[in-house]
Amino acid sequence: TLLSSLGLGTTLTFASSHWLLAWMGLEINTLAIIPLMAQHHHPRAVEATTKYFLTQATAAAMILFASTTNAWITGVWDMNNVSSPVASTMIIAALALKIGLAPMHFWMPEVLQGLDLLTGLVLSTWQKLAPLALIIQTAQAIDPLLLTALGLMSTLIGGWGGLNQTQLRKILAYSSIAHMGWMIIVLQYAPQLTLLALLTYIFMTSAAFLTLKASSATKIGTLATVWSKSPILTTTTALVLLSLGGLPPLTGFVPKWLILQELAKQSLPLVATVMALAALLSLYFYLRLCYAMTLTISPNTTTSTTPWRVQTTQASFPLALATVMALGLLPMT
């Protein structure tokens, strides 16, 4: 029931051209994921669920308020003409809070850290879809300066924040913030690139989360002991992390390349430069993970290939599919 409601909420938001229906879809979505987040009854999971519920409820209330204001001023509930600047600014603020764009990102690492890996995967991929669909639909009514500021701040904060984390879920949360920034920065110039960036982000993040789930790792220290059990998985994981960082022969390079090219075409060289430098910050902490996984021998295990952890019951097909997508889609360009 909960999973189908989760799908239904997002689909409702996709299908709506009326603000009330979009808001309803977002609400169904939030209410469906909350029991999924709290299902383990761990105090941290409950705390994360509470934080998530409060931020999402605040954002939904702001969306409702902004769309009512817009309907009051213009007399239409249609999404395509958010003509009042107050309403459009409030809507983008609320949607930014929903997907965790900086400076409304503070809930994201905390919430992701409290959840288990599969719910974390749903939170960082599926839960981004509905708000992003609304952002894309209303993007033309929003002040370009505001969107650029949101995008730049998100990539910078997503880079700085992840630098001294040791918890993998927090690192993935900051990586998510940075990727959202890349999507927002190019939104008004080439919305199709936003969708492309979203698609590649979903593949790479799914591959990362499913790998961590397969090796049940939540800290950097655990990663150093994975190689003795599953060497091939370790190799592909290192490549997936580099792909998240955006290195050339891998999928992660596609959105960065096209977005920087588009920014240069729109004569925004300074913005493009800052974005490229912010990508280096993210690359640094992905390289730290790669280093821990593939270039260090953990001090606390024997180096034999003993099966030191329980056999996983996870289906390997989604992991294989996501990994292949995260490594080999560069020819798309």
Side-chain angles (χ1 to χ4, degrees):
T1 311
L2 292 171
L3 282 172
S4 56
S5 300
L6 194 66
L8 174 76
T10 304
T11 317
L12 261 182
T13 308
F14 281 168
S16 63
S17 60
H18 187 288
W19 274 116
L20 275 181
L21 191 61
W23 168 79
M24 211 180 335
L26 292 171
E27 282 294 286
I28 292 173
N29 200 345
T30 306
L31 289 177
I33 199 173
I34 280 179
L36 293 174
M37 290 164 85
Q39 67 185 343
H40 295 295
H41 300 300
H42 191 281
R44 294 220 174 153
V46 176
E47 181 189 350
T49 310
T50 313
K51 287 176 179 169
Y52 183 75
F53 172 71
L54 290 173
T55 52
Q56 299 297 304
T58 310
M62 273 177 76
I63 290 173
L64 195 57
F65 181 50
S67 52
T68 315
T69 310
N70 183 54
W72 184 45
I73 293 172
T74 59
V76 253
W77 282 94
D78 209 36
M79 268 183 212
N80 301 328
N81 50 0
V82 187
S83 49
S84 112
V86 180
S88 66
T89 309
M90 275 174 55
I91 283 169
I92 190 69
L95 291 169
L97 177 61
K98 263 202 175 301
I99 60 172
L101 281 172
M104 285 79 101
H105 66 284
F106 292 98
W107 60 273
M108 178 92 194
E110 302 286 327
V111 168
L112 208 55
Q113 181 55 36
L115 306 177
D116 69 312
L117 291 163
L118 285 182
T119 322
L121 171 64
V122 172
L123 181 71
S124 34
T125 55
W126 184 254
Q127 292 298 92
K128 305 286 192 216
L129 296 178
L132 260 169
L134 293 183
I135 289 180
I136 290 173
Q137 283 184 62
T138 52
Q140 300 312 318
I142 298 161
D143 181 20
L145 188 63
L146 180 63
L147 277 183
T148 311
L150 279 174
L152 279 175
M153 276 191 74
S154 299
T155 40
L156 284 166
I157 286 177
W160 285 132
L163 286 185
N164 56 0
Q165 297 292 343
T166 57
Q167 299 284 344
L168 297 177
R169 284 167 292 187
K170 282 196 177 174
I171 287 182
L172 281 167
Y174 281 111
S175 128
S176 167
I177 295 167
H179 279 278
M180 289 293 140
W182 279 90
M183 288 172 216
I184 295 299
I185 199 89
V186 79
L187 182 58
Q188 281 186 333
Y189 310 111
Q192 67 274 19
L193 286 187
T194 302
L195 289 173
L196 176 74
L198 177 65
L199 192 70
T200 51
Y201 160 75
I202 286 178
F203 282 138
M204 296 184 296
T205 310
S206 307
F209 269 106
L210 290 170
T211 308
L212 297 181
K213 180 83 174 68
S215 56
S216 57
T218 55
K219 292 192 187 66
I220 292 188
T222 323
L223 283 181
T225 59
V226 173
W227 64 272
S228 65
K229 179 72 194 286
S230 39
I232 298 179
L233 189 63
T234 309
T235 317
T236 55
T237 310
L239 287 173
V240 165
L241 287 166
L242 293 177
S243 179
L244 268 165
L247 289 190
L250 308 165
T251 308
F253 183 55
V254 176
K256 289 195 169 30
W257 177 22
L258 295 176
I259 286 172
L260 289 176
Q261 185 186 6
E262 182 63 34
L263 288 173
K265 262 190 215 164
Q266 299 286 349
S267 64
L268 296 167
L270 193 61
V271 175
T273 311
V274 176
M275 294 294 284
L277 291 175
L280 285 177
L281 289 170
S282 301
L283 183 62
Y284 177 78
F285 58 79
Y286 298 125
L287 279 173
R288 264 180 71 206
L289 294 185
C290 288
Y291 180 76
M293 280 196 87
T294 56
L295 295 172
T296 56
I297 291 181
S298 178
N300 55 5
T301 60
T302 54
T303 52
S304 63
T305 54
T306 47
W308 54 271
R309 62 181 162 73
V310 290
Q311 276 294 326
T312 173
T313 55
Q314 181 189 343
S316 54
F317 178 69
L319 172 58
L321 184 70
T323 305
V324 168
M325 292 296 197
L327 299 184
L329 283 186
L330 186 72
M332 265 201 319
T333 50

